[in-house]
Amino acid sequence: MSLVIRNLQKVIPLRRIPLRRRIEILQKILDVQQFDLGIICVSNRNIQLLNNTYRQKNVPTDVLSFPFHENLKAGELPQPNFQDEYNLGDVFLGVEYIYQQCQENGEDFYSILTVTAAHGLCHLLGYQHNTEAEWEQMYQKEKQILEELNGITGANLQPLTKNHF
Amino acid sequence: MSGGWELDVHGTEAKLLRKIAGERITVTFNINNSIPPTFDEEPQEGQKADEQEPELTSTPNFVVEVTKDNPKQTLVLDCHYPEDEVEEESDIFSIREVSFQPTGESDWKDTNYTLSTDSLDWALYDHLMDFLADRGVDNTFADELVELSTALEHQEYIRFLEDLKSFVKCQ
């Protein structure tokens, strides 16, 4: 099924293929290649608007996930009844926010985009981090995905959830 | 336009030109029929009439031609701005068609295969978008092209009104 990337912003120069390659590996690791997925790259202004609308937090952030299948149990894949339901949903990447963080921390932009996308994907699959138990479960999942990704690409990516609780 | 583009305007047609790394890149657009229709909404209570005027922007289709010297070939990409303003999650611009056309000839050759991106593999589409971005045709360029086109359109509109006034007056 389709991985659709959209770039709605002009603040940060972005190349789609490096992002696509990394996300396709994540999809393969999570065994969700049969599902449609949207990755939408937005500016601080845009993600702040979404953050305020949907989470009542009037600040920019790095990632917001909008799952197609709500109330999924963490770790369980959706079981669609119809072809139209082979959709995980959309992950909005606050690329401007992420880029600024990378500049401050001296990190590679596409690496952090990958880590953030992995975090967003986990949210689409029912993982949360509202309680300590949820956080631990999500952290372990992200760690597992990224270890596998690191093994394939030779990178050394760490879970975003590390600092999110 | 940022990025070192040369601008050439003939009437309603504008051409931007750039040369980089042995390639010649032109972006051509026409300001005619470039302002999408706006649908007037019901005036809100207390709103003055002049506050309802929408900001008219020109969003022309534009054609990017990339010509390489060796071999002498021109890749032509027909690009559009989203038609529906309600589609908030669409790219700032999209590639609609791609074709190889004879270098230096202004007439479109119908017998050359034209690839439509409607049902194109998304990975290939992303490659084409990155191809354009590497040559300076990215979201920033697309935004600046709208500003340029809007300014040119306004200029032609004023000129037309002045010509119309003169024409109507003369005996």
Side-chain angles (χ1 to χ4, degrees):
Chain A
M1 300 300 269
S2 308
L3 165 60
V4 177
I5 294 175
R6 297 259 183 255
N7 182 16
L8 274 54
Q9 57 81 46
K10 59 175 184 176
V11 185
I12 308 297
L14 189 75
R15 292 298 180 269
R16 296 168 179 237
I17 291 300
L19 183 57
R20 170 173 289 275
R21 286 207 178 113
R22 287 159 171 84
I23 292 173
E24 282 177 348
I25 297 173
L26 291 176
Q27 285 179 293
K28 197 171 177 187
I29 292 168
L30 284 163
D31 196 23
V32 293
Q33 293 139 293
Q34 67 274 40
F35 294 91
D36 284 343
L37 172 65
I39 300 290
I40 300 141
C41 302
V42 294
S43 63
N44 275 358
R45 187 167 168 262
N46 200 323
I47 205 151
Q48 180 171 342
L49 194 64
L50 289 169
N51 210 12
N52 195 28
T53 304
Y54 293 99
R55 298 174 71 229
Q56 291 74 52
K57 292 183 180 178
N58 193 16
V59 289
T61 188
D62 49 1
V63 61
L64 290 171
S65 295
F66 295 87
F68 185 88
H69 299 274
E70 293 180 9
N71 305 317
L72 274 182
K73 271 188 189 171
E76 281 186 4
L77 290 184
Q79 300 295 322
N81 295 316
F82 306 101
Q83 195 59 40
D84 285 351
E85 292 174 357
Y86 276 90
N87 191 339
L88 288 184
D90 295 323
V91 174
F92 281 74
L93 293 175
V95 297
E96 186 181 357
Y97 183 94
I98 293 166
Y99 185 82
Q100 285 164 353
Q101 279 200 317
C102 288
Q103 292 287 93
E104 285 167 20
N105 301 330
E107 290 165 319
D108 177 67
F109 178 52
Y110 284 96
S111 295
I112 303 303
L113 275 182
T114 309
V115 165
T116 312
H119 184 86
L121 265 170
C122 286
H123 274 308
L124 295 185
L125 293 171
Y127 289 91
Q128 301 291 340
H129 47 77
N130 298 318
T131 67
E132 194 168 343
E134 285 178 351
W135 173 86
E136 180 64 35
Q137 186 184 36
M138 188 168 185
Y139 174 75
Q140 290 302 328
K141 185 66 183 176
E142 281 183 56
K143 191 160 171 275
Q144 175 226 314
I145 296 165
L146 293 175
E147 272 172 6
E148 214 171 318
L149 180 81
N150 290 340
I152 296 168
T153 63
N156 182 25
L157 305 182
Q158 299 298 316
L160 197 70
T161 320
K162 211 173 181 179
N163 304 315
H164 256 60
F165 187 75
Chain B
M1 301 285 293
S2 50
W5 295 88
E6 291 171 28
L7 173 65
D8 197 18
V9 182
H10 286 288
T12 57
E13 185 178 90
K15 199 180 279 272
L16 292 157
L17 169 68
R18 197 176 176 212
K19 286 180 186 174
I20 44 167
E23 293 179 1
R24 179 189 154 97
I25 299 132
T26 61
V27 179
T28 311
F29 61 94
N30 195 309
I31 58 163
N32 278 334
N33 302 310
S34 65
I35 296 182
T38 52
F39 298 100
D40 293 334
E41 292 174 0
E42 286 292 317
Q44 290 175 14
E45 201 175 304
Q47 196 174 19
K48 293 179 188 172
D50 58 6
E51 285 177 6
Q52 295 165 36
E53 284 293 321
E55 198 178 299
L56 296 174
T57 52
S58 167
T59 53
N61 299 340
F62 59 95
V63 175
V64 182
E65 292 172 276
V66 181
T67 304
K68 291 196 179 196
D69 282 333
N70 193 16
K72 194 96 179 156
Q73 271 196 321
T74 298
L75 184 68
V76 182
L77 301 98
D78 181 38
C79 302
H80 290 218
Y81 290 94
E83 286 170 14
D84 192 349
E85 285 179 3
V86 176
E87 185 60 57
E88 290 178 355
E89 288 171 20
S90 55
D91 286 315
I92 289 176
F93 74 97
S94 64
I95 303 167
R96 288 284 179 94
E97 292 183 340
V98 187
S99 172
F100 282 106
Q101 290 293 320
T103 302
E105 289 183 30
S106 55
D107 290 340
W108 184 271
K109 214 171 169 190
D110 278 341
T111 51
N112 285 11
Y113 178 77
T114 300
L115 174 72
S116 168
T117 61
D118 275 351
S119 50
L120 185 64
D121 172 73
W122 284 109
L124 181 52
Y125 183 83
D126 284 348
H127 274 293
L128 290 171
M129 288 295 276
D130 282 355
F131 176 86
L132 286 181
D134 288 341
R135 284 150 184 82
V137 182
D138 57 10
N139 285 350
T140 300
F141 175 89
D143 245 22
E144 288 182 0
L145 192 144
V146 167
E147 286 180 18
L148 172 64
S149 186
T150 302
L152 289 173
E153 200 281 340
H154 187 72
Q155 192 177 289
E156 287 298 312
Y157 174 59
I158 298 298
R159 186 174 295 149
F160 182 84
L161 290 178
E162 287 168 351
D163 289 347
L164 188 61
K165 182 181 171 185
S166 306
F167 183 85
V168 166
K169 272 187 176 174
C170 69
Q171 299 296 322

